[in-house]
mmCIF file of all heavy atoms in Angstrom:
data_model
loop_
_atom_site.group_PDB
_atom_site.id
_atom_site.type_symbol
_atom_site.label_atom_id
_atom_site.label_comp_id
_atom_site.label_asym_id
_atom_site.label_seq_id
_atom_site.Cartn_x
_atom_site.Cartn_y
_atom_site.Cartn_z
ATOM 1 N N ASP V 225 2.570 8.559 9.152
ATOM 2 C CA ASP V 225 1.462 9.355 8.641
ATOM 3 C C ASP V 225 1.947 10.795 8.670
ATOM 4 O O ASP V 225 2.083 11.395 9.732
ATOM 5 C CB ASP V 225 0.237 9.161 9.538
ATOM 6 C CG ASP V 225 -1.034 9.734 8.923
ATOM 7 O OD1 ASP V 225 -0.940 10.450 7.904
ATOM 8 O OD2 ASP V 225 -2.116 9.472 9.477
ATOM 9 N N CYS V 226 2.291 11.305 7.496
ATOM 10 C CA CYS V 226 2.938 12.625 7.437
ATOM 11 C C CYS V 226 2.314 13.473 6.330
ATOM 12 O O CYS V 226 1.442 13.021 5.613
ATOM 13 C CB CYS V 226 4.436 12.463 7.258
ATOM 14 S SG CYS V 226 4.924 11.546 5.792
ATOM 15 N N ALA V 227 2.806 14.688 6.211
ATOM 16 C CA ALA V 227 2.214 15.684 5.310
ATOM 17 C C ALA V 227 2.272 15.298 3.835
ATOM 18 O O ALA V 227 1.427 15.722 3.059
ATOM 19 C CB ALA V 227 2.890 17.037 5.514
ATOM 20 N N GLY V 228 3.245 14.537 3.431
ATOM 21 C CA GLY V 228 3.347 14.199 2.018
ATOM 22 C C GLY V 228 4.657 13.518 1.699
ATOM 23 O O GLY V 228 5.452 13.204 2.588
ATOM 24 N N PRO V 229 4.911 13.299 0.412
ATOM 25 C CA PRO V 229 6.090 12.545 0.008
ATOM 26 C C PRO V 229 7.411 13.194 0.395
ATOM 27 O O PRO V 229 8.366 12.494 0.731
ATOM 28 C CB PRO V 229 5.954 12.420 -1.512
ATOM 29 C CG PRO V 229 4.976 13.466 -1.918
ATOM 30 C CD PRO V 229 4.093 13.711 -0.731
ATOM 31 N N ASP V 230 7.469 14.506 0.396
ATOM 32 C CA ASP V 230 8.731 15.166 0.770
ATOM 33 C C ASP V 230 9.091 14.862 2.221
ATOM 34 O O ASP V 230 10.248 14.601 2.542
ATOM 35 C CB ASP V 230 8.649 16.681 0.558
ATOM 36 C CG ASP V 230 8.593 17.057 -0.913
ATOM 37 O OD1 ASP V 230 8.952 16.219 -1.767
ATOM 38 O OD2 ASP V 230 8.185 18.192 -1.213
ATOM 39 N N ARG V 231 8.088 14.891 3.094
ATOM 40 C CA ARG V 231 8.351 14.582 4.509
ATOM 41 C C ARG V 231 8.701 13.104 4.668
ATOM 42 O O ARG V 231 9.598 12.766 5.445
ATOM 43 C CB ARG V 231 7.144 14.960 5.378
ATOM 44 C CG ARG V 231 7.297 14.591 6.836
ATOM 45 C CD ARG V 231 8.446 15.315 7.516
ATOM 46 N NE ARG V 231 8.523 14.898 8.916
ATOM 47 C CZ ARG V 231 9.650 14.783 9.597
ATOM 48 N NH1 ARG V 231 10.814 15.103 9.048
ATOM 49 N NH2 ARG V 231 9.629 14.380 10.844
ATOM 50 N N ALA V 232 8.047 12.219 3.956
ATOM 51 C CA ALA V 232 8.367 10.791 4.039
ATOM 52 C C ALA V 232 9.818 10.552 3.612
ATOM 53 O O ALA V 232 10.542 9.770 4.243
ATOM 54 C CB ALA V 232 7.403 9.975 3.181
ATOM 55 N N ILE V 233 10.254 11.237 2.575
ATOM 56 C CA ILE V 233 11.639 11.116 2.110
ATOM 57 C C ILE V 233 12.599 11.684 3.150
ATOM 58 O O ILE V 233 13.662 11.102 3.407
ATOM 59 C CB ILE V 233 11.794 11.792 0.728
ATOM 60 C CG1 ILE V 233 11.071 10.957 -0.330
ATOM 61 C CG2 ILE V 233 13.259 12.005 0.373
ATOM 62 C CD1 ILE V 233 10.903 11.644 -1.664
ATOM 63 N N GLU V 234 12.230 12.785 3.764
ATOM 64 C CA GLU V 234 13.063 13.371 4.815
ATOM 65 C C GLU V 234 13.237 12.397 5.992
ATOM 66 O O GLU V 234 14.340 12.218 6.500
ATOM 67 C CB GLU V 234 12.411 14.671 5.297
ATOM 68 C CG GLU V 234 13.178 15.415 6.354
ATOM 69 C CD GLU V 234 12.447 16.682 6.798
ATOM 70 O OE1 GLU V 234 11.610 17.218 6.046
ATOM 71 O OE2 GLU V 234 12.727 17.122 7.922
ATOM 72 N N ILE V 235 12.146 11.757 6.396
ATOM 73 C CA ILE V 235 12.216 10.773 7.480
ATOM 74 C C ILE V 235 13.097 9.603 7.074
ATOM 75 O O ILE V 235 13.951 9.154 7.833
ATOM 76 C CB ILE V 235 10.804 10.293 7.876
ATOM 77 C CG1 ILE V 235 10.001 11.447 8.486
ATOM 78 C CG2 ILE V 235 10.879 9.117 8.836
ATOM 79 C CD1 ILE V 235 8.504 11.160 8.639
ATOM 80 N N ALA V 236 12.899 9.093 5.856
ATOM 81 C CA ALA V 236 13.688 7.958 5.376
ATOM 82 C C ALA V 236 15.175 8.302 5.337
ATOM 83 O O ALA V 236 16.019 7.484 5.727
ATOM 84 C CB ALA V 236 13.207 7.526 3.995
ATOM 85 N N ALA V 237 15.508 9.500 4.898
ATOM 86 C CA ALA V 237 16.914 9.917 4.838
ATOM 87 C C ALA V 237 17.527 9.940 6.236
ATOM 88 O O ALA V 237 18.666 9.507 6.431
ATOM 89 C CB ALA V 237 17.040 11.277 4.177
ATOM 90 N N PHE V 238 16.772 10.426 7.216
ATOM 91 C CA PHE V 238 17.258 10.428 8.596
ATOM 92 C C PHE V 238 17.473 9.001 9.092
ATOM 93 O O PHE V 238 18.519 8.682 9.662
ATOM 94 C CB PHE V 238 16.279 11.181 9.510
ATOM 95 C CG PHE V 238 16.608 11.033 10.961
ATOM 96 C CD1 PHE V 238 17.731 11.644 11.496
ATOM 97 C CD2 PHE V 238 15.809 10.274 11.792
ATOM 98 C CE1 PHE V 238 18.055 11.496 12.845
ATOM 99 C CE2 PHE V 238 16.115 10.127 13.135
ATOM 100 C CZ PHE V 238 17.239 10.737 13.659
ATOM 101 N N LEU V 239 16.499 8.127 8.866
ATOM 102 C CA LEU V 239 16.618 6.738 9.327
ATOM 103 C C LEU V 239 17.799 6.033 8.669
ATOM 104 O O LEU V 239 18.436 5.176 9.276
ATOM 105 C CB LEU V 239 15.319 5.980 9.050
ATOM 106 C CG LEU V 239 14.096 6.471 9.827
ATOM 107 C CD1 LEU V 239 12.829 5.828 9.283
ATOM 108 C CD2 LEU V 239 14.253 6.208 11.312
ATOM 109 N N SER V 240 18.099 6.399 7.443
ATOM 110 C CA SER V 240 19.208 5.806 6.706
ATOM 111 C C SER V 240 20.554 6.028 7.386
ATOM 112 O O SER V 240 21.495 5.281 7.176
ATOM 113 C CB SER V 240 19.241 6.394 5.287
ATOM 114 O OG SER V 240 20.348 5.936 4.569
ATOM 115 N N THR V 241 20.620 7.061 8.231
ATOM 116 C CA THR V 241 21.894 7.411 8.876
ATOM 117 C C THR V 241 22.149 6.653 10.171
ATOM 118 O O THR V 241 23.098 6.980 10.898
ATOM 119 C CB THR V 241 21.973 8.918 9.174
ATOM 120 O OG1 THR V 241 21.000 9.263 10.179
ATOM 121 C CG2 THR V 241 21.769 9.745 7.930
ATOM 122 N N ALA V 242 21.359 5.645 10.473
ATOM 123 C CA ALA V 242 21.585 4.864 11.700
ATOM 124 C C ALA V 242 23.043 4.406 11.751
ATOM 125 O O ALA V 242 23.623 4.048 10.719
ATOM 126 C CB ALA V 242 20.649 3.661 11.740
ATOM 127 N N PRO V 243 23.636 4.419 12.947
ATOM 128 C CA PRO V 243 25.050 4.056 13.042
ATOM 129 C C PRO V 243 25.279 2.559 12.868
ATOM 130 O O PRO V 243 24.446 1.739 13.226
ATOM 131 C CB PRO V 243 25.425 4.500 14.463
ATOM 132 C CG PRO V 243 24.147 4.424 15.226
ATOM 133 C CD PRO V 243 23.075 4.789 14.244
ATOM 134 N N GLY V 244 26.433 2.248 12.336
ATOM 135 C CA GLY V 244 26.870 0.870 12.173
ATOM 136 C C GLY V 244 28.221 0.674 12.808
ATOM 137 O O GLY V 244 28.565 1.371 13.775
ATOM 138 N N PRO V 245 29.032 -0.215 12.272
ATOM 139 C CA PRO V 245 30.359 -0.473 12.828
ATOM 140 C C PRO V 245 31.190 0.810 12.927
ATOM 141 O O PRO V 245 31.208 1.625 12.014
ATOM 142 C CB PRO V 245 30.972 -1.461 11.837
ATOM 143 C CG PRO V 245 29.798 -2.170 11.245
ATOM 144 C CD PRO V 245 28.735 -1.107 11.158
ATOM 145 N N GLY V 246 31.809 0.994 14.056
ATOM 146 C CA GLY V 246 32.629 2.175 14.279
ATOM 147 C C GLY V 246 31.824 3.444 14.476
ATOM 148 O O GLY V 246 32.377 4.528 14.549
ATOM 149 N N GLY V 247 30.497 3.328 14.533
ATOM 150 C CA GLY V 247 29.642 4.494 14.715
ATOM 151 C C GLY V 247 29.365 5.269 13.449
ATOM 152 O O GLY V 247 28.639 6.263 13.465
ATOM 153 N N ALA V 248 29.936 4.828 12.340
ATOM 154 C CA ALA V 248 29.723 5.529 11.064
ATOM 155 C C ALA V 248 28.290 5.320 10.578
ATOM 156 O O ALA V 248 27.728 4.238 10.758
ATOM 157 C CB ALA V 248 30.699 5.005 10.014
ATOM 158 N N PRO V 249 27.687 6.338 9.953
ATOM 159 C CA PRO V 249 26.339 6.169 9.404
ATOM 160 C C PRO V 249 26.326 5.053 8.361
ATOM 161 O O PRO V 249 27.225 4.972 7.518
ATOM 162 C CB PRO V 249 26.026 7.515 8.757
ATOM 163 C CG PRO V 249 27.006 8.469 9.327
ATOM 164 C CD PRO V 249 28.214 7.680 9.722
ATOM 165 N N LEU V 250 25.292 4.213 8.422
ATOM 166 C CA LEU V 250 25.189 3.117 7.459
ATOM 167 C C LEU V 250 24.766 3.605 6.076
ATOM 168 O O LEU V 250 25.107 2.994 5.072
ATOM 169 C CB LEU V 250 24.172 2.078 7.946
ATOM 170 C CG LEU V 250 24.576 1.272 9.167
ATOM 171 C CD1 LEU V 250 23.412 0.402 9.635
ATOM 172 C CD2 LEU V 250 25.786 0.410 8.853
ATOM 173 N N ASN V 251 24.003 4.708 6.037
ATOM 174 C CA ASN V 251 23.449 5.182 4.768
ATOM 175 C C ASN V 251 22.758 4.039 4.026
ATOM 176 O O ASN V 251 22.924 3.855 2.818
ATOM 177 C CB ASN V 251 24.524 5.848 3.909
ATOM 178 C CG ASN V 251 25.108 7.053 4.601
ATOM 179 O OD1 ASN V 251 24.411 7.793 5.291
ATOM 180 N ND2 ASN V 251 26.398 7.240 4.459
ATOM 181 N N MET V 252 21.991 3.264 4.797
ATOM 182 C CA MET V 252 21.307 2.092 4.242
ATOM 183 C C MET V 252 20.118 2.513 3.395
ATOM 184 O O MET V 252 19.534 3.568 3.622
ATOM 185 C CB MET V 252 20.871 1.162 5.356
ATOM 186 C CG MET V 252 19.906 1.765 6.337
ATOM 187 S SD MET V 252 19.706 0.703 7.755
ATOM 188 C CE MET V 252 19.165 1.919 8.942
ATOM 189 N N PRO V 253 19.777 1.704 2.414
ATOM 190 C CA PRO V 253 18.637 2.053 1.564
ATOM 191 C C PRO V 253 17.322 1.899 2.322
ATOM 192 O O PRO V 253 17.103 0.912 3.007
ATOM 193 C CB PRO V 253 18.731 1.047 0.412
ATOM 194 C CG PRO V 253 19.537 -0.082 0.941
ATOM 195 C CD PRO V 253 20.429 0.472 2.002
ATOM 196 N N ILE V 254 16.466 2.906 2.208
ATOM 197 C CA ILE V 254 15.123 2.878 2.788
ATOM 198 C C ILE V 254 14.153 3.121 1.635
ATOM 199 O O ILE V 254 14.177 4.188 1.004
ATOM 200 C CB ILE V 254 14.926 3.967 3.866
ATOM 201 C CG1 ILE V 254 16.004 3.907 4.946
ATOM 202 C CG2 ILE V 254 13.518 3.888 4.447
ATOM 203 C CD1 ILE V 254 15.916 2.758 5.909
ATOM 204 N N GLU V 255 13.343 2.131 1.330
ATOM 205 C CA GLU V 255 12.348 2.281 0.269
ATOM 206 C C GLU V 255 11.133 3.008 0.835
ATOM 207 O O GLU V 255 10.652 2.671 1.910
ATOM 208 C CB GLU V 255 11.939 0.902 -0.251
ATOM 209 C CG GLU V 255 10.940 0.953 -1.384
ATOM 210 C CD GLU V 255 10.574 -0.424 -1.912
ATOM 211 O OE1 GLU V 255 11.312 -1.392 -1.648
ATOM 212 O OE2 GLU V 255 9.537 -0.519 -2.584
ATOM 213 N N VAL V 256 10.625 4.009 0.119
ATOM 214 C CA VAL V 256 9.465 4.799 0.543
ATOM 215 C C VAL V 256 8.309 4.468 -0.388
ATOM 216 O O VAL V 256 8.421 4.647 -1.605
ATOM 217 C CB VAL V 256 9.777 6.313 0.493
ATOM 218 C CG1 VAL V 256 8.549 7.132 0.856
ATOM 219 C CG2 VAL V 256 10.956 6.645 1.389
ATOM 220 N N ARG V 257 7.200 3.981 0.214
ATOM 221 C CA ARG V 257 6.028 3.645 -0.597
ATOM 222 C C ARG V 257 4.771 4.146 0.081
ATOM 223 O O ARG V 257 4.560 3.877 1.262
ATOM 224 C CB ARG V 257 5.932 2.134 -0.787
ATOM 225 C CG ARG V 257 7.178 1.629 -1.475
ATOM 226 C CD ARG V 257 7.129 0.315 -2.123
ATOM 227 N NE ARG V 257 5.936 -0.067 -2.780
ATOM 228 C CZ ARG V 257 5.643 -1.347 -2.988
ATOM 229 N NH1 ARG V 257 6.437 -2.304 -2.562
ATOM 230 N NH2 ARG V 257 4.537 -1.670 -3.614
ATOM 231 N N GLN V 258 3.962 4.869 -0.645
ATOM 232 C CA GLN V 258 2.686 5.321 -0.098
ATOM 233 C C GLN V 258 1.776 4.114 0.065
ATOM 234 O O GLN V 258 1.756 3.219 -0.787
ATOM 235 C CB GLN V 258 2.035 6.355 -1.017
ATOM 236 C CG GLN V 258 0.787 6.960 -0.426
ATOM 237 C CD GLN V 258 0.229 8.111 -1.250
ATOM 238 O OE1 GLN V 258 0.799 8.501 -2.260
ATOM 239 N NE2 GLN V 258 -0.889 8.646 -0.819
ATOM 240 N N THR V 259 1.030 4.082 1.154
ATOM 241 C CA THR V 259 0.085 2.991 1.350
ATOM 242 C C THR V 259 -1.197 3.307 0.582
ATOM 243 O O THR V 259 -1.529 4.474 0.350
ATOM 244 C CB THR V 259 -0.242 2.768 2.842
ATOM 245 O OG1 THR V 259 -0.880 3.938 3.355
ATOM 246 C CG2 THR V 259 1.008 2.461 3.638
ATOM 247 N N MET V 260 -1.882 2.268 0.203
ATOM 248 C CA MET V 260 -3.150 2.444 -0.505
ATOM 249 C C MET V 260 -4.266 2.475 0.528
ATOM 250 O O MET V 260 -4.175 1.859 1.585
ATOM 251 C CB MET V 260 -3.381 1.288 -1.477
ATOM 252 C CG MET V 260 -2.395 1.288 -2.631
ATOM 253 S SD MET V 260 -2.601 -0.108 -3.753
ATOM 254 C CE MET V 260 -4.252 0.136 -4.348
ATOM 255 N N SER V 261 -5.320 3.194 0.203
ATOM 256 C CA SER V 261 -6.495 3.198 1.060
ATOM 257 C C SER V 261 -7.655 2.586 0.286
ATOM 258 O O SER V 261 -7.611 2.466 -0.941
ATOM 259 C CB SER V 261 -6.822 4.619 1.509
ATOM 260 O OG SER V 261 -7.090 5.431 0.385
ATOM 261 N N ALA V 262 -8.668 2.208 1.012
ATOM 262 C CA ALA V 262 -9.846 1.616 0.374
ATOM 263 C C ALA V 262 -10.568 2.665 -0.462
ATOM 264 O O ALA V 262 -10.480 3.868 -0.183
ATOM 265 C CB ALA V 262 -10.779 1.063 1.437
ATOM 266 N N PRO V 263 -11.294 2.226 -1.463
ATOM 267 C CA PRO V 263 -12.082 3.179 -2.251
ATOM 268 C C PRO V 263 -13.071 3.921 -1.353
ATOM 269 O O PRO V 263 -13.588 3.354 -0.391
ATOM 270 C CB PRO V 263 -12.824 2.298 -3.254
ATOM 271 C CG PRO V 263 -12.096 0.997 -3.268
ATOM 272 C CD PRO V 263 -11.438 0.858 -1.933
ATOM 273 N N THR V 264 -13.320 5.183 -1.665
ATOM 274 C CA THR V 264 -14.250 5.969 -0.867
ATOM 275 C C THR V 264 -15.700 5.749 -1.286
ATOM 276 O O THR V 264 -16.603 5.914 -0.492
ATOM 277 C CB THR V 264 -13.914 7.467 -0.956
ATOM 278 O OG1 THR V 264 -13.899 7.842 -2.331
ATOM 279 C CG2 THR V 264 -12.559 7.736 -0.326
ATOM 280 N N GLN V 265 -15.918 5.421 -2.535
ATOM 281 C CA GLN V 265 -17.270 5.152 -3.037
ATOM 282 C C GLN V 265 -17.216 3.938 -3.934
ATOM 283 O O GLN V 265 -16.179 3.611 -4.506
ATOM 284 C CB GLN V 265 -17.801 6.329 -3.836
ATOM 285 C CG GLN V 265 -17.965 7.582 -3.003
ATOM 286 C CD GLN V 265 -18.485 8.743 -3.884
ATOM 287 O OE1 GLN V 265 -18.930 8.523 -5.005
ATOM 288 N NE2 GLN V 265 -18.436 9.941 -3.361
#
């Protein structure tokens, strides 16, 4: 739950750098999708 899409992308980019074999960043794909909320009225 963050300020907006730019922050969500920033978080995803950081998570993408999780280490893998040899400690190198995996740069794995992280899909970013806004969740839907119920109608207000």
